[in-house]
Amino acid sequence: MNDGFTIHNQNDIYDYCYIDFLEEAVDYLINPDSFRSFGKGLTELLIKKGYSGDTTNVKELSTYLIERLRKINSSIGAGTVNSWFSGNHSPKIEAGSRNKIYEICFALELSYEETVWFFQHVYYDRAFNCHTITEAIYYYCFLHNQTYTDAQEIIQYVENAPTLATDSEETANYTQFVKNHIGELQSVAELKEFLIQNKQNFNSWNKSALKTLNKLVLELLGPPESKTTIDTLRQTINKNQNKSENKLTFDLSYYQNCGLLIRELLFDSQNPLTNTTSSPAQYIYELIENKNIQKNNFILIRSLETTKISRKSEKVPVPYIVRNNFPSRKIISDVLSEDKVLVSKSYDSIRKMIILLDFCRFWITVKLENEDSNLSIDDSLSEIYLEETNACLYQCGYEELYAGNPYDWIFLCCARSDNPLEYFRLFIGELWEKESNDTE
């Protein structure tokens, strides 16, 4: 489908990826007209599928969609549909709203490609999470033009079938394996047989995502055996932090077994561009005082460099798509908990955390490898970042970064700046500073 919004957002990245235009970039992000709203996307979809009425008349648009929904016995209420087109509300990006999006897709008789577009570019979540039986069946049905009624009959049949004892599938990305296998099936009978034989394997998911998250955290915080090195560093800092004229320097090669975050701190402490007033020891002391630098929360403290982030209030300028599931202490705790993440349907929070951690991993590594402290990024490094991040997301079963998603837009814009890490941290600080000022 034509995606003018995403093309527009992609082009705008190059207008705002400079430090001098940071405030303008934040204003662009919080402007409701910059990105496609759910109501606008839904209207585009109706036009694509044959709606010829007044596209500015909320009542007409709502009536048209409601009539289509009633034909498949959808439970979506008229008030809900009206609120979408009026712009008063959008479906929450959470498990409870996903079936409503599928009902819209079935009601409008979307193709597989149109359904993927609607999920990704309007609802801002991935389509067809094939680690659940229901969505695996939806995937087959959209591939083969089956109706919503057909889908519900298959779901009921499979759910009522007994669960067979089978060996757990050891495929690296089981969800992708299921999707690939279903894509090769040619009949409903084959689909039912496959799902029934493998029902037990649908009891947990997100395994590839958890593996990726743990790997990223290990790189950022360092392995457990680096604790001895960290303890020695703390002792050194505590002895020297009050000596304002202290010329203490750190041999960075000695800290290679530590995580990227502490190595970046050491690097910055000796960089006159980042540490303009303190001795190296004092600089580090101020940033790690009373902090456990090997705990997950230290990642957020260092990567976001702000404590003003709020996700609860809806009366703030930060777009819902950004604010919802924005990486926080609770979210990082949940997505790194094997018990929680292997049954979590909060794909948005997992994807956002992967994007944040991978951004920090990549650009801190680049920073530490650059001998010139005045880091300046060229387009080739930005392209490498995009390729690596997109490959990482794909392996975990998520969509690649795309500029039409406001959360993704932040990282894409930062990646094109001369200093992605500095730009990102300033951007986040400015973004929630506007929120604080707006709600005071």
Side-chain angles (χ1 to χ4, degrees):
M1 291 183 66
N2 178 38
D3 195 17
F5 259 98
T6 301
I7 295 173
H8 172 72
N9 299 141
Q10 181 69 48
N11 292 337
D12 286 340
I13 284 172
Y14 295 91
D15 293 332
Y16 297 110
C17 64
Y18 304 99
I19 292 290
D20 291 344
F21 294 102
L22 177 66
E23 188 171 350
E24 288 85 348
V26 174
D27 288 338
Y28 175 86
L29 183 78
I30 66 178
N31 185 343
D33 295 327
S34 295
F35 297 87
R36 178 191 285 111
S37 68
F38 186 79
K40 288 180 180 178
L42 192 54
T43 301
E44 286 182 42
L45 191 64
L46 262 59
I47 295 171
K48 172 73 175 179
K49 302 307 291 184
Y51 175 77
S52 57
D54 184 354
T55 59
T56 64
N57 190 313
V58 171
K59 184 176 180 180
E60 283 188 28
L61 288 165
S62 300
T63 299
Y64 178 85
L65 180 57
I66 290 167
E67 289 176 353
R68 299 293 295 265
L69 289 168
R70 292 293 173 266
K71 290 180 180 180
I72 67 166
N73 296 318
S74 169
S75 60
I76 300 175
T80 298
V81 174
N82 187 281
S83 71
W84 292 342
F85 286 113
S86 67
N88 292 331
H89 294 286
S90 299
K92 300 293 185 182
I93 304 178
E94 56 188 30
S97 295
R98 289 179 63 82
N99 206 63
K100 292 179 182 178
I101 307 302
Y102 282 115
E103 288 181 6
I104 294 172
C105 296
F106 276 113
L108 296 176
E109 299 179 356
L110 301 192
S111 66
Y112 166 75
E113 291 78 12
E114 290 168 338
T115 301
V116 170
W117 176 86
F118 187 57
F119 264 85
Q120 183 177 12
H121 293 275
V122 180
Y123 181 56
Y124 297 114
D125 202 3
R126 66 174 176 174
F128 306 117
N129 297 314
C130 288
H131 57 245
T132 68
I133 288 175
T134 295
E135 296 207 24
I137 291 171
Y138 286 163
Y139 176 61
Y140 177 89
C141 288
F142 278 100
L143 284 178
H144 296 273
N145 300 313
Q146 301 285 314
T147 67
Y148 184 68
T149 300
D150 295 333
Q152 298 309 306
E153 290 176 353
I154 300 170
I155 291 169
Q156 185 175 9
Y157 183 90
V158 174
E159 288 182 345
N160 290 338
T163 300
L164 305 177
T166 58
D167 294 331
S168 180
E169 179 61 56
E170 295 299 329
T171 304
N173 188 332
Y174 185 68
T175 302
Q176 190 62 44
F177 164 76
V178 170
K179 194 171 184 179
N180 292 341
H181 188 82
I182 291 177
E184 297 173 354
L185 301 179
Q186 297 300 316
S187 70
V188 171
E190 289 179 320
L191 175 67
K192 290 178 178 177
E193 180 182 9
F194 171 73
L195 294 177
I196 291 171
Q197 287 182 346
N198 292 276
K199 280 181 71 173
Q200 183 172 285
N201 291 328
F202 285 87
N203 292 331
S204 65
W205 47 86
N206 297 328
K207 294 179 181 178
S208 296
L210 178 60
K211 182 179 180 180
T212 296
L213 286 164
N214 285 333
K215 181 176 181 295
L216 289 169
V217 168
L218 185 66
E219 290 187 64
L220 290 169
L221 294 181
E225 53 267 26
S226 65
K227 184 179 183 303
T228 301
T229 306
I230 298 299
D231 289 342
T232 301
L233 173 64
R234 279 192 182 277
Q235 293 171 6
T236 303
I237 291 171
N238 288 336
K239 289 179 181 178
N240 290 274
Q241 59 93 6
N242 290 321
K243 300 176 183 178
S244 60
E245 299 301 322
N246 189 278
K247 302 299 182 182
L248 176 70
T249 59
F250 298 94
D251 182 356
L252 297 183
S253 64
Y254 178 74
Y255 297 93
Q256 290 301 309
N257 71 324
C258 295
L260 289 170
L261 292 175
I262 194 61
R263 289 164 57 198
E264 183 196 18
L265 272 178
L266 293 167
F267 180 91
D268 286 347
S269 73
Q270 298 168 147
N271 182 349
L273 295 176
T274 51
N275 180 13
T276 59
T277 60
S278 306
S279 68
Q282 178 68 21
Y283 178 88
I284 298 172
Y285 177 82
E286 291 174 353
L287 292 173
I288 70 173
E289 181 185 13
N290 300 322
K291 297 180 180 68
N292 189 330
I293 59 180
Q294 289 192 297
K295 290 292 186 180
N296 298 334
N297 194 48
F298 188 66
I299 296 175
L300 300 180
I301 293 172
R302 284 297 301 149
S303 59
L304 303 177
E305 289 192 347
T306 180
T307 58
K308 300 178 180 179
I309 296 173
S310 170
R311 285 154 294 277
K312 294 183 179 180
S313 174
E314 295 185 0
K315 296 179 180 180
V316 293
V318 179
Y320 164 74
I321 303 303
V322 175
R323 191 175 68 250
N324 183 58
N325 292 319
F326 194 88
S328 65
R329 177 181 294 189
K330 182 182 185 304
I331 287 176
I332 196 171
S333 175
D334 288 347
V335 301
L336 292 174
S337 166
E338 183 171 346
D339 290 340
K340 292 181 180 180
V341 77
L342 293 183
V343 293
S344 173
K345 294 182 180 179
S346 184
Y347 319 113
D348 182 56
S349 64
I350 299 171
R351 181 179 183 273
K352 283 179 175 175
M353 186 60 72
I354 290 174
I355 291 171
L356 173 65
L357 299 187
D358 193 60
F359 180 89
C360 293
R361 180 224 30 112
F362 183 90
W363 291 113
I364 292 176
T365 300
V366 169
K367 178 178 180 178
L368 296 177
E369 291 176 350
N370 194 300
E371 295 181 359
D372 182 1
S373 59
N374 187 16
L375 180 64
S376 181
I377 303 302
D378 58 26
D379 286 342
S380 62
L381 273 175
S382 298
E383 291 300 329
I384 293 172
Y385 161 72
L386 293 177
E387 290 175 5
E388 290 190 8
T389 300
N390 287 335
C392 176
L393 290 170
Y394 175 80
Q395 290 167 3
C396 295
Y398 297 104
E399 283 87 0
E400 297 180 350
L401 293 171
Y402 63 101
N405 182 322
Y407 180 82
D408 293 11
W409 189 89
I410 296 174
F411 293 88
L412 290 168
C413 184
C414 293
R416 293 295 181 186
S417 70
D418 287 340
N419 193 322
L421 279 171
E422 179 187 12
Y423 190 94
F424 175 73
R425 287 162 174 163
L426 291 172
F427 190 105
I428 295 300
E430 179 73 17
L431 181 63
W432 263 275
E433 184 68 31
K434 285 183 177 292
E435 174 188 73
S436 299
N437 292 337
D438 186 75
T439 55
E440 286 177 353

